[in-house]
Amino acid sequence: MIALSLAEIAGIVSGRPHDIPDPEARVTGSVEIDSRKVRPGGLFAAFAGEQVDGHDFARTAVDAGAVAVLASRPVPGVPAIVVEDVTEALGALARAVVSRLGTTVVALTGSAGKTSTKDLLAQLLERLGPTVWPPGSFNNEIGLPLTALRADENTRHLVLEMGARGKGHIRHLTGLTPPRVGVVLNVGTAHIGEFGGREQIAEAKGELAEALPAAEEGGLAVLNADDPLVEAMRERTKARTVLFGESAAADIRAEDVRLSDRGNPSFTLRTPTGCSGVTLRLYGEHHVSNALAAAAVAHELGMSVEEIATALSEAGQLSRWRMEVTERSDGVTVVNDAYNANPDSMRAALRALASMGRGRRTWAVLGEMAELGEESLAEHDAVGRLVVRLNVSKLVAVGGREAAWLDMGAKNEGSWGEESVHVSDARAAVDLLRSELCPGDVVLVKASRSVGLERIAGELLDNESGAAGEGEVTGR
């Protein structure tokens, strides 16, 4: 963060200083909401959550070097800036900091692929200059300001992920950190139970396009030509538009898309300035669209097509539990895609599994896709049927009612018997897999984040894959 005095911060957030011996003391470090991450010179934002109250850790944060605490109530003996609402104060601070910087703000949204695209885009833009982007999925009214506050005078690009729980949320986020470049990836069925339908999802996602500056002011909307609901957003923006996709109408497009035996996509990247070959290190054909979105932004910001192709081919997955592929010492391949799931991402992961598992035995260990509302039965049934159509060797449906619907779909689609099994929980799934996995098998683990199926992948890998994933601050 740019250096600010406590007096300046108090003015920005309309806060009341409490037990601050020196109002001119400067915050020079990061803003944190976890006291364990506080470093000297930082600022600790204390949130009173349902399970944990950050105010209880205010003293710990100051002892670790925080200059002060942003709090909703005084903490005796702790220097604090007291505000009515810590979330609103955090947003106000981010808005003030970003307004003082000359950085190019790039925001992206979509029903699926936000985090993977953000990771690809960050790795491309880093080659053009210092770039800040969110860890994991920091994409809501808390996570986005925390990311923005990591930017300083040297930051050339600030990449932000924007999620939504309903109409108005993205509009609010764009007010905190006004973007010059906006990317809309897709409109799918994720969280359709909350939004009410794809048209309502499109209405919410399109708020990003509406928030962009006009073309003459440098505004740029990067839209998916392969998704009619996204392509139509060009009518909702004053910004210049660039289309990406496999459609002939796309300005930045992929041609000759193919998958390796391990599921890595290759394609020819075609741009208005030339073309070049790309082979992604990521797994699954769905990453082609993500790569094109990142390429479109990088191309518009001055990167050559050859540089883009090289950077995409060298880019890795920065965020945990998203098509994270690990081969065990006994030859079993575990694909941990357990961070989240919706019908679109589930279908993409299953197709990737089918490609990766050619000539091998494949396992789909699947759990609930949350927040689908009235569509839940039909969508779970459809995914179960797709498992059979893709010739996946065995489905392990984990959990309660929704898992039973997955199992039902598989059994209704084919003459499956023991090829599909419904188990009650992760422990039962691990026991089953440990008793039946053979060298060479490929196992996909995927469900909504709330199900916690990453524990299955973790136990299958034991200590072979390293550390646990980072915390997340997420929206949709």
Side-chain angles (χ1 to χ4, degrees):
M1 189 175 88
I2 61 174
L4 294 170
S5 71
L6 294 179
E8 287 178 292
I9 294 173
I12 290 169
V13 302
S14 301
R16 174 171 56 87
H18 174 80
D19 279 353
I20 293 178
D22 180 11
E24 296 307 312
R26 294 167 72 80
V27 173
T28 57
S30 61
V31 180
E32 303 290 351
I33 61 173
D34 184 338
S35 62
R36 296 167 296 183
K37 296 182 179 180
V38 170
R39 297 293 181 268
L43 179 69
F44 177 61
F47 284 89
E50 293 182 4
Q51 304 296 327
V52 177
D53 188 343
H55 296 79
D56 296 338
F57 300 91
R59 169 52 62 188
T60 301
V62 171
D63 290 344
V67 180
V69 174
L70 191 61
S72 58
R73 65 174 186 270
V75 179
V78 173
I81 298 171
V82 180
V83 295
E84 289 292 326
D85 187 306
V86 176
T87 300
E88 290 185 6
L90 200 63
L93 184 59
R95 183 166 50 245
V97 167
V98 171
S99 70
R100 301 185 187 190
L101 301 176
T103 185
T104 296
V105 179
V106 182
L108 60 92
T109 192
S111 295
K114 293 188 295 295
T115 299
S116 295
T117 304
K118 172 264 301 180
D119 287 346
L120 288 171
L121 180 56
Q123 290 172 85
L124 267 62
L125 295 186
E126 266 202 311
R127 298 185 179 220
L128 294 176
T131 300
V132 170
W133 66 93
S137 294
F138 276 44
N139 64 18
N140 63 12
E141 64 275 12
I142 297 174
L144 182 137
L146 287 175
T147 301
L149 289 169
R150 292 171 54 211
D152 60 23
E153 295 88 348
N154 298 316
T155 302
R156 183 170 176 184
H157 308 107
L158 174 59
V159 178
L160 298 170
E161 181 180 331
M162 293 187 175
R165 298 181 300 278
K167 290 179 64 174
H169 289 122
I170 289 177
R171 184 178 298 111
H172 172 70
L173 295 178
T174 60
L176 301 182
T177 53
R180 181 168 78 80
V181 180
V183 184
V184 185
L185 300 174
N186 45 57
V187 173
T189 53
H191 314 288
I192 197 168
E194 291 190 352
F195 284 93
R198 292 187 72 233
E199 290 72 17
Q200 287 76 19
I201 295 172
E203 187 67 25
K205 300 299 182 185
E207 291 170 2
L208 175 54
E210 293 174 343
L212 297 170
E216 57 270 23
E217 298 171 357
L220 174 67
V222 177
L223 305 175
N224 187 349
D226 299 333
D227 187 325
L229 289 174
V230 176
E231 194 274 340
M233 292 177 190
R234 63 196 310 178
E235 303 300 324
R236 297 171 59 183
T237 185
K238 298 178 181 177
R240 182 168 62 88
T241 59
V242 170
L243 300 180
F244 68 90
E246 296 182 48
S247 164
D251 304 291
I252 307 294
R253 65 181 183 270
E255 299 176 346
D256 189 25
V257 177
R258 56 211 178 274
L259 287 179
S260 71
D261 289 342
R262 287 184 56 82
N264 302 102
S266 295
F267 59 94
T268 298
L269 173 65
R270 184 168 295 280
T271 77
T273 59
C275 59
S276 189
V278 175
T279 297
L280 297 176
R281 292 171 55 196
L282 308 180
Y283 297 89
E285 190 173 348
H286 58 292
H287 282 300
V288 173
S289 182
N290 299 337
L292 290 174
V297 176
H299 185 266
E300 290 297 320
L301 294 182
M303 187 176 285
S304 73
V305 64
E306 293 81 12
E307 291 174 314
I308 293 170
T310 297
L312 286 175
S313 297
E314 294 177 355
Q317 185 69 269
L318 303 182
S319 301
R320 300 280 295 191
W321 306 338
R322 296 164 175 87
M323 292 301 289
E324 186 175 284
V325 179
T326 307
E327 185 170 336
R328 298 193 327 191
S329 56
D330 65 356
V332 170
T333 299
V334 178
V335 184
N336 186 351
D337 197 29
Y339 177 75
N340 216 338
N342 59 63
D344 299 314
S345 67
M346 192 74 89
R347 286 189 284 268
L350 287 169
R351 292 189 180 102
L353 172 66
S355 177
M356 295 171 65
R358 290 182 187 132
R360 305 164 71 181
R361 191 167 63 153
T362 51
W363 298 71
V365 183
L366 310 180
E368 176 190 0
M369 299 176 288
E371 299 175 1
L372 295 179
E374 294 179 356
E375 302 297 320
S376 187
L377 171 57
E379 293 289 2
H380 284 89
D381 177 82
V383 166
R385 291 175 184 272
L386 181 61
V387 172
V388 178
R389 294 172 189 167
L390 292 173
N391 294 315
V392 174
S393 305
K394 189 154 187 172
L395 168 65
V396 181
V398 185
R401 180 183 62 177
E402 289 77 10
W405 293 340
L406 289 166
D407 181 53
M408 176 185 68
K411 288 176 176 172
N412 286 342
E413 178 65 21
S415 57
W416 278 26
E418 294 184 1
E419 291 90 346
S420 178
V421 60
H422 176 209
V423 299
S424 60
D425 54 28
R427 179 75 269 153
V430 170
D431 290 342
L432 172 67
L433 291 164
R434 282 182 171 165
S435 67
E436 296 192 20
L437 284 177
C438 297
D441 288 359
V442 184
V443 184
L444 167 70
V445 182
K446 187 168 182 64
S448 283
R449 183 71 183 88
S450 57
V451 182
L453 289 198
E454 72 278 358
R455 291 172 292 175
I456 295 176
E459 291 208 37
L460 292 178
L461 292 170
D462 292 323
N463 296 319
E464 297 191 46
S465 64
E470 75 284 327
E472 307 288 347
V473 181
T474 63
R476 285 85 175 187

